[in-house]
């Protein structure tokens, strides 16, 4: 069973940048489609980006597509989310998740195909 640990969150001013990392252990990152999700208290979890294990599918929701970049380094067992031009509405708990099937080719945004989740890292964007 893969374990996931996120890092890199923090407080940043609007317009700033952050890079989140998700380090895996217990099983190689290369075996999984990976996603980034975020959640604000009182709201549903939102899938924001997905990268397939072969990197042939990289998908984003429209609200982050021009500002965020998902990437992976299988040799380091680490998933990344580079976030730029951050907005106050990006404030959330950000979590990474792993799927052993072809999640990014399907309805990945719901998160239902992802079986392993990290605890999350908080991102706060001040106006």
């Amino acid at each position: 069973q893969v374990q996931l640990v996120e890092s890199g969150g923090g407080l940043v001013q609007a317009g700033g940048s952050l890079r989140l990392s998700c380090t895996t252990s217990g099983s190689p990152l290369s075996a999984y489609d990976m996603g980034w999700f975020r959640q604000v208290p009182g709201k549903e979890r939102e899938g924001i980006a997905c990268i397939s294990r072969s990197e042939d599918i990289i998908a984003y929701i429209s609200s982050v597509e021009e500002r965020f970049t998902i990437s992976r380094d299988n040799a380091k067992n680490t998933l990344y989310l580079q976030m730029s031009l951050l907005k106050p509405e990006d404030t959330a708990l950000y979590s990474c998740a792993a799927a052993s099937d072809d999640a990014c080719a399907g309805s990945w945004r719901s998160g239902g195909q992802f079986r392993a989740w990290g605890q999350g890292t908080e991102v706060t964007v001040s106006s």
Side-chain angles (χ1 to χ4, degrees):
Q1 179 72 17
V2 63
Q3 290 85 45
L4 311 172
V5 179
E6 301 92 340
S7 61
L11 174 64
V12 63
Q13 289 188 331
S17 300
L18 281 175
R19 189 177 78 158
L20 306 184
S21 298
C22 169
T23 302
T24 66
S25 61
S27 189
L29 178 68
S30 59
Y32 301 97
D33 279 17
M34 298 295 295
W36 282 102
F37 296 78
R38 65 187 181 187
Q39 187 166 23
V40 175
K43 294 188 176 181
E44 288 191 0
R45 181 182 62 205
E46 177 181 44
I48 59 172
C50 197
I51 184 169
S52 64
R53 70 203 69 191
S54 63
E55 302 185 50
D56 60 334
I57 299 175
I58 297 177
Y60 302 91
I61 57 170
S62 59
S63 62
V64 308
E65 187 164 16
E66 299 298 322
R67 302 183 294 120
F68 292 8
T69 301
I70 188 172
S71 63
R72 62 194 297 158
D73 186 337
N74 288 341
K76 295 182 178 180
N77 285 317
T78 303
L79 174 75
Y80 302 101
L81 185 69
Q82 178 68 48
M83 305 187 295
S84 303
L85 299 175
L86 283 161
K87 305 175 181 179
E89 52 264 43
D90 294 319
T91 295
L93 178 71
Y94 284 72
S95 300
C96 60
S100 57
D101 57 8
D102 296 331
C104 296
S107 55
W108 59 271
R109 291 180 58 181
S110 69
Q113 292 176 269
F114 293 85
R115 293 291 177 261
W117 294 81
Q119 293 297 309
T121 184
E122 290 278 359
V123 172
T124 302
V125 184
S126 62
S127 57

